[in-house]
Amino acid sequence: MAGPIRVLVGKIGLDGHDRGVKVVARALRDAGMEVVYTGLHRTPAEVARIAVEEDVDVIGISLLSGAHMTIFPRLIELLKIEGADDALLLAGGTILPEDAEALVAMGVDKVFGVDTPLPELVEFIRANAKPQ
Amino acid sequence: MTDGGSARRRWEEETVAPFLAGMPERKATFETLSGATVERVYTPEHVAEPDGGFPGEFPFLRGPYPTMYRARPWTMRQIAGYGRPEDTNDRLRYLIANGQTGISIDFDMPTLMGFDSDDERSFGEVGGVGVAVDHVDDLHAVLDGIDIGTISVSMTINPSAWILLAMFLVVAEERGVPRAKLSGTTQADIVKEFIAQKEWIYPVEPSLRILRDMITFGARELPRWNPVNISGYHAREAGATASQEVAFTLAAAITYAERAVATGMHFDEFAPRFSFYFIAHNDFIEEVAKFRAARRLWARIARERFGATKPESMRLRFHCQTAGSTLTAPQPLNNIIRGALQALAAVAGGAQSLHVSGMDEALAIPSEQAMKVALRTQQILLEESGIASTIDPFGGSYAIEATTERIEREVREYLDKIDEIGGTVAGIESGFFQQAISDAAYAHQLAKDAGELRTVGVNVYRDAEAEAIPFALHKVDPDVEERKLAELRGFRAARDGALVEERLAELREAATGDGNIMPATIEAIRARATGGEIVEVLRSVFGSYVEHAVF
């Protein structure tokens, strides 16, 4: 039987809005998952490295700074190089529908808006993560 | 008071009970947005201090000034900032042309965090959520054609605030505007950064020293400038309750005052220039009461803790912004109504200055159209609603007075608790504030998910299919970053590099001792040092802050 789902939640760039990411971290922990929070102001390279070191099944990145269209391509590229691109990749925050479509096209598995109910997020991860 | 109590019991038994038998209330209990129980009706028995005094007199419950909006309406101060300095200048001039009475500048993340536009950590964020200001000539461009000797200028800037203040002073000097005429505000409230907004550079102690230097420098040099805008807005946006918002704000104010007093200055010398900043949230009664409670509490704290003697040191003046987190992406036109109700609470609560958030802010940074509607909301309140004709119009309402007193009690309990754990700095280092905010945010989200907290268009009255966005959104110009970088290269090439080095070395020297760092910072800015260069020089003295995150 597989162990608990391991999730990395993180913030990339200079954006300091951490209310959402911390609420999500807590909800996933309360749902029985193992949660690693990167803390604020990380670079894509740091997040890719932590994802490998922590051997996570899911990576969730929260962005409210509007910098998602520059940050995600870089992160996806680094995850590929590090061999961590099999993890489920999720985005959350203030992301317009057209940007969300573009993110999915480049390899993000799902984009969650700011008003997403927590049970919806938990269910999605349970249904789609593949713990080793 | 007991008479009131027995009369109420009689009413409950004789009148309410038979009614309830026929039709129960909608919920078993009613609560404020912050989770406090709300009574069915408030009566004199709920009010311990029925005499609230008069506006402009201690304890300033009813207002900081004796005439309030009858003499001087609140400052309509819609914030603006995006792209290059020229872009922001266009928006500021547009707002002034439409009747705005003060200006307020939002900076991009690199400027806020003390990085130049060409720093690798700035990649992708230059000119995004605010304007990119690397050096004094950028600020000249932001303020081009705006008379800073007459209009007040507020800058939403925190860990790098002392640098922007220095830039502003050099802009004034180079335009020939005397310091005594400058009015405005640097937010500079670093405590709330560590606990809520999360923009920081240096560790807690050197950060507090920088702010102390701004406060004491301001007290001597800038008679009309607010060096700090002590803010509850961000803690509330991060999840805090109304009482936590006020308590954490006043705790920060107490800390700043203690640091300034430790330099040998009396409270009355600097406290008149303290300004405050609260949110105007959805719960109308609780919000009006909150502003009143904050005023009475600060007046009493100023007297009790610091021996204030001047009325100006005791009267709390505040800026207000409607709550960004209440804005919804679905059905965004509803956000106009939310802004209007929250703005009404701010004005009923006696705000000195107000920003109404844009209807589109759940989707993007606000467009010109969204800011015009927000400004018109303020103008309708002032010109059409009658709310500005009388002072503290809800004063004396049993519900308002009882809620005011409830918030004061809760804030006092928090302040005692903060003293108990060793003060604000200890509270930041142990994660006390961060955990309290995080707990409240989580409880709020669970209540939302459970449907106990209802948001129109989000968890009730949803559209079956998402409607198209009914207005045009602000588009970030993709060339901003490249153009800003080219300009910055030109700026660095044109200045006297040796002079900049010399001034930066002198600044490092000033920072190493315990003297005031403002004069040496102003010198460095005059010599055309950039913000990022100043920050890095002092990083070698002060170090960097690293957060131990709690959730």
Side-chain angles (χ1 to χ4, degrees):
Chain A
M1 194 189 136
I5 300 171
R6 289 176 62 74
V7 187
L8 179 142
V9 294
K11 296 286 298 181
I12 300 179
L14 302 178
D15 174 25
H17 292 91
D18 63 357
R19 174 179 180 159
V21 77
K22 287 163 86 168
V23 165
V24 165
R26 192 146 162 184
L28 300 182
R29 190 175 64 193
D30 286 358
M33 301 179 199
E34 287 181 4
V35 179
V36 179
Y37 171 44
T38 63
L40 287 165
H41 312 139
R42 294 297 194 160
T43 64
E46 285 170 341
V47 168
R49 200 197 64 228
I50 298 169
V52 172
E53 283 172 4
E54 296 286 345
D55 195 23
V56 294
D57 310 306
V58 182
I59 301 169
I61 303 299
S62 156
L63 276 169
L64 289 94
S65 62
H68 44 269
M69 296 310 285
T70 52
I71 283 171
F72 271 99
R74 207 172 255 204
L75 176 66
I76 289 168
E77 190 193 328
L78 288 162
L79 289 173
K80 275 193 187 125
I81 294 169
E82 299 271 356
D85 53 332
D86 55 336
L88 189 70
L89 181 60
L90 309 176
T94 42
I95 297 172
L96 289 174
E98 65 214 58
D99 286 355
E101 275 173 37
L103 290 176
V104 168
M106 70 176 75
V108 174
D109 290 294
K110 176 107 176 149
V111 178
F112 291 97
V114 284
D115 289 314
T116 307
L118 295 171
E120 197 179 309
L121 182 63
V122 171
E123 284 316 306
F124 183 86
I125 291 177
R126 282 202 180 124
N128 293 281
K130 297 176 278 295
Q132 289 101 20
Chain B
M1 298 284 159
T2 45
D3 285 346
S6 65
R8 194 164 101 99
R9 275 192 298 280
R10 180 204 56 75
W11 170 74
E12 295 272 359
E13 283 160 21
E14 290 178 16
T15 305
V16 178
F19 236 76
L20 285 176
M23 184 197 254
E25 292 180 338
R26 290 182 286 120
K27 297 186 275 190
T29 57
F30 286 74
E31 292 183 350
T32 69
L33 190 57
S34 298
T37 303
V38 178
E39 298 292 330
R40 182 170 290 119
V41 69
Y42 287 87
T43 63
E45 75 180 299
H46 295 105
V47 181
E49 263 189 280
D51 180 9
F54 287 93
E57 288 181 2
F58 186 88
F60 300 100
L61 171 74
R62 308 205 60 191
Y65 301 112
T67 53
M68 292 296 286
Y69 310 136
R70 291 165 65 100
R72 181 173 167 180
W74 65 92
T75 303
M76 298 183 188
R77 194 189 295 283
Q78 293 296 131
I79 200 163
Y82 64 95
R84 293 158 62 246
E86 294 76 7
D87 302 322
T88 295
N89 181 255
D90 285 346
R91 176 68 64 84
L92 290 171
R93 289 183 189 222
Y94 171 83
L95 289 167
I96 292 168
N98 275 282
Q100 172 153 296
T101 51
I103 64 174
S104 179
I105 307 168
D106 241 348
F107 298 91
D108 69 357
M109 289 307 308
T111 306
L112 292 168
M113 296 285 289
F115 298 119
D116 284 339
S117 295
D118 56 0
D119 191 295
E120 60 174 0
R121 286 159 291 194
S122 305
F123 174 75
E125 311 209 32
V126 175
V129 297
V131 60
V133 172
D134 292 313
H135 49 73
V136 66
D137 293 335
D138 281 342
L139 194 60
H140 266 298
V142 168
L143 297 168
D144 185 42
I146 296 168
D147 182 4
I148 57 172
T150 56
I151 197 162
S152 71
V153 179
S154 173
M155 293 190 275
T156 300
I157 189 88
N158 290 286
S160 52
W162 95 100
I163 299 173
L164 267 296
L165 176 58
M167 286 185 195
F168 188 76
L169 296 178
V170 173
V171 167
E173 178 184 297
E174 291 175 353
R175 288 186 185 182
V177 181
R179 285 183 180 173
K181 286 183 78 175
L182 300 175
S183 77
T185 305
T186 27
Q187 191 169 85
D189 171 22
I190 199 68
V191 164
K192 69 97 175 44
E193 294 299 332
F194 292 121
I195 70 177
Q197 186 164 247
K198 311 295 176 91
E199 291 158 15
W200 50 62
I201 300 172
Y202 309 121
V204 179
E205 282 300 335
S207 298
L208 283 171
R209 178 262 178 101
I210 291 171
L211 177 54
R212 177 204 71 186
D213 288 355
M214 292 177 72
I215 291 167
T216 55
F217 177 88
R220 292 190 184 95
E221 300 278 334
L222 306 169
R224 299 182 62 212
W225 190 265
N226 305 313
V228 60
N229 194 223
I230 310 158
S231 315
Y233 181 92
H234 315 84
R236 190 74 184 277
E237 282 285 87
T241 64
S243 294
Q244 287 171 338
E245 179 193 351
V246 175
F248 298 171
T249 304
L250 297 185
I254 289 167
T255 301
Y256 302 150
E258 285 169 352
R259 300 297 169 120
V261 165
T263 68
M265 232 179 213
H266 191 273
F267 186 79
D268 282 332
E269 289 178 76
F270 59 83
R273 296 319 308 173
F274 272 16
S275 64
F276 293 81
Y277 171 20
F278 296 107
I279 208 166
H281 217 293
N282 273 339
D283 192 316
F284 183 82
I285 291 171
E286 187 171 56
E287 292 300 280
V288 173
K290 177 187 76 181
F291 303 127
R292 306 172 81 249
R295 269 196 302 270
R296 186 156 63 188
L297 278 161
W298 180 243
R300 287 177 173 164
I301 288 168
R303 217 181 234 185
E304 290 162 13
R305 285 207 186 213
F306 296 103
T309 58
K310 283 161 67 173
E312 298 84 349
S313 315
M314 302 178 228
R315 67 173 179 221
L316 179 149
R317 301 168 297 130
F318 70 98
H319 173 70
C320 204
Q321 180 165 329
T322 63
S325 65
T326 65
L327 304 177
T328 63
Q331 305 179 25
L333 289 176
N334 299 343
N335 294 328
I336 299 173
I337 311 303
R338 294 190 177 97
L341 285 170
Q342 294 167 13
L344 180 62
V347 172
Q352 276 55 65
S353 164
L354 178 63
H355 165 97
V356 175
S357 296
M359 59 186 170
D360 54 0
E361 285 185 52
L363 300 159
I365 72 163
S367 69
E368 192 170 277
Q369 184 196 22
M371 283 298 95
K372 185 171 178 181
V373 171
L375 179 58
R376 293 287 182 258
T377 302
Q378 299 206 36
Q379 290 162 338
I380 289 167
L381 281 175
L382 175 66
E383 307 290 352
E384 301 182 17
S385 78
I387 190 75
S389 303
T390 189
I391 302 170
D392 189 28
F394 296 100
S397 143
Y398 305 126
I400 288 284
E401 298 296 348
T403 308
T404 302
E405 291 178 4
R406 191 257 303 164
I407 292 173
E408 289 180 80
R409 274 195 307 277
E410 291 175 357
V411 171
R412 288 275 188 188
E413 281 164 23
Y414 268 112
L415 292 176
D416 289 345
K417 173 82 188 159
I418 292 163
D419 285 339
E420 225 170 82
I421 63 169
T424 305
V425 174
I428 293 169
E429 283 166 354
S430 69
F432 167 80
F433 298 104
Q434 299 91 318
Q435 191 67 57
I437 291 170
S438 170
D439 288 348
Y442 194 52
H444 184 91
Q445 186 61 43
L446 293 182
K448 221 170 173 178
D449 290 350
E452 291 157 17
L453 265 172
R454 293 152 74 93
T455 305
V456 171
V458 174
N459 63 1
V460 285
Y461 313 111
R462 291 174 72 137
D463 289 329
E465 272 184 42
E467 60 179 11
I469 297 167
F471 40 65
L473 294 177
H474 172 84
K475 286 279 174 211
V476 176
D477 174 359
D479 298 330
V480 160
E481 191 151 330
E482 211 168 293
R483 291 176 66 189
K484 190 75 188 68
L485 293 185
E487 283 162 10
L488 184 54
R489 273 193 297 274
F491 174 86
R492 285 196 210 275
R495 65 188 181 169
D496 178 348
L499 181 67
V500 172
E501 286 308 314
E502 202 178 305
R503 293 288 179 262
L504 288 174
E506 285 162 11
L507 174 60
R508 189 206 311 262
E509 189 63 31
T512 307
D514 196 38
N516 196 303
I517 65 162
M518 284 309 300
T521 307
I522 293 166
E523 288 293 338
I525 291 293
R526 244 186 230 134
R528 266 54 192 173
T530 65
E533 289 163 349
I534 289 173
V535 163
E536 289 313 315
V537 155
L538 297 196
R539 208 189 286 276
S540 66
V541 179
F542 295 148
S544 295
Y545 181 70
V546 179
E547 183 189 45
H548 302 287
V550 291
F551 62 86

